[in-house]
Amino acid sequence: MPTATAVAHPNIALCKYWGKRDRALNLPATPSLSLTLAPYATRTTVTWGADADEARLNGRIADGKEARRIFANLDLLDPHRPPCVVTSANNFPTAAGLASSSSGFAALVLAANAASGASRTIEELAVLARRGSGSATRSLFGGWAEWPMGARADGADSHGVPLAPADHWDVRMLVAVLQAGPKGTSSTDGMVHTQETSPYYPVWTEQAPADVVEARAAVLRRDIEALGAVMERSAMRMHASMLAADPPLCYWRAGTLAAVDAVKALRASGTGAWYTMDAGPNVKVLCAAADEEAVHAAIAAVSERVERLAPGGPARVE
Ligand code: PMV
């Protein structure tokens, strides 16, 4: 049976996607900008043709909802596909706000495309990855990537696009891991709830595009202070939109704010470091490569574990 394996790195958004302008097509209400990060990676093998659909994630059979999400994505790739076997493993904790769905669906569409013998463009694959998980559309690309909202009703122009390759800028992203267990509210549920109930949501979507313009310019001229300022603002405004939902949604734990304070104290003492948080309690800290050890020491004191990440390359078939 035709089989193919693909590897993709997750990405962390510096300007956040939070809100959907079309739920069925998974189209975003905000543009976003991200950094793809190694050595975290998802490795996925797809066998195109089997007795029945089966998905194994990190060594266990995927449950109903997870499996449906995977096979619905393969149905989009080919509505007449044969039953498939999908085997996928992450080298990092799943569903703890560490963006595992971004690398997961990027690796899935790439492996499935190769296994099926089709030759889609990277843009077509990025649209398919978006349907699986919005953030996955950015993980097909290495280094710095953007996901514009797009204007078309069918979403064909809403997919990840490369901004600058991994070797454009030698930065680090350190993750203060505060709680590696599975998160309580999925990002989709969280953003839909925010959209439906938060009075701050319209303001969030209105101002988000300007952040991407600013962040893009900062990345291109390698201005970490300017990028750091936009990155913190985007994260806090996204979280403010959900804190104002009804009932309020808060992914933070006490340790989250302790890590944020540690980053601010480090900056006040002269070391450049900037934070962001996603749909989970962990804090991700951006810094220049030369400041990695100082940042590590500062956040290790307030977290369970610190992961060290650096710009990673594009998703690839192995
Ligand atoms: O596409 P999802 O379901 O992984 O949602 C991603 C949401 C955030 O991580 C909070 C922001 C982002 O742009 O990645």
Side-chain angles (χ1 to χ4, degrees):
M1 288 300 171
T3 292
T5 297
V7 174
H9 299 293
N11 69 78
I12 299 291
L14 311 182
C15 294
K16 306 296 186 185
Y17 147 58
W18 194 255
K20 298 178 194 279
R21 73 178 160 87
D22 184 314
R23 256 187 104 170
L25 292 175
N26 214 22
L27 293 173
T30 59
S32 52
L33 185 152
S34 62
L35 178 58
T36 295
L37 293 159
Y40 279 5
T42 301
R43 192 169 195 277
T44 300
T45 300
V46 174
T47 300
W48 199 258
D51 291 340
D53 279 347
E54 185 186 285
R56 272 179 192 278
L57 304 180
N58 295 313
R60 60 170 178 83
I61 302 276
D63 69 18
K65 199 176 164 198
E66 274 175 327
R68 273 198 300 282
R69 203 169 156 198
I70 291 165
F71 293 110
N73 204 241
L74 297 189
D75 290 342
L76 291 173
L77 204 114
D78 178 358
H80 307 293
R81 69 173 177 86
C84 295
V85 175
V86 174
T87 309
S88 186
N90 294 332
N91 64 358
F92 60 99
T94 302
L98 294 174
S100 61
S101 63
S102 65
S103 48
F105 280 94
L108 179 69
V109 297
L110 204 56
N113 181 62
S116 71
S119 51
R120 290 178 184 78
T121 63
I122 188 78
E123 289 80 16
E124 288 169 327
L125 291 175
V127 164
L128 287 164
R130 184 202 78 220
R131 298 286 298 270
S133 171
S135 56
T137 196
R138 300 181 307 238
S139 262
L140 285 165
F141 305 95
W144 310 83
E146 282 187 48
W147 175 18
M149 286 174 63
R152 286 178 52 159
D154 68 359
D157 58 350
S158 183
H159 55 75
V161 291
L163 173 61
D167 64 4
H168 165 71
W169 192 5
D170 196 15
V171 298
R172 295 291 179 269
M173 184 80 87
L174 276 67
V175 184
V177 180
L178 299 157
Q179 192 194 64
K183 62 188 172 191
T185 306
S186 73
S187 45
T188 288
D189 289 349
M191 62 181 90
V192 169
H193 177 63
T194 305
Q195 192 158 356
E196 286 173 351
T197 68
S198 174
Y200 294 2
Y201 179 77
V203 187
W204 153 250
T205 55
E206 208 179 285
Q207 58 76 44
D211 283 349
V212 171
V213 172
E214 225 176 281
R216 178 191 308 138
V219 168
L220 293 177
R221 63 174 196 270
R222 301 187 189 85
D223 181 342
I224 200 164
E225 287 193 17
L227 180 62
V230 185
M231 169 184 161
E232 292 191 349
R233 196 168 75 209
S234 174
M236 286 311 228
R237 287 180 178 172
M238 175 187 77
H239 283 278
S241 75
M242 57 183 112
L243 290 171
D246 188 14
L249 174 61
C250 183
Y251 287 101
W252 301 342
R253 297 291 171 273
T256 308
L257 293 180
V260 166
D261 280 348
V263 170
K264 289 201 286 196
L266 193 63
R267 204 155 71 219
S269 75
T271 300
W274 291 266
Y275 62 82
T276 188
M277 294 89 83
D278 294 288
N282 298 331
V283 177
K284 293 103 178 184
V285 186
L286 180 75
C287 65
D291 292 327
E292 179 178 348
E293 294 312 322
V295 172
H296 186 278
I299 60 175
V302 292
S303 52
E304 275 177 27
R305 199 174 79 240
V306 178
E307 300 277 342
R308 300 168 185 257
L309 304 172
R316 60 194 182 273
V317 174
E318 291 222 309

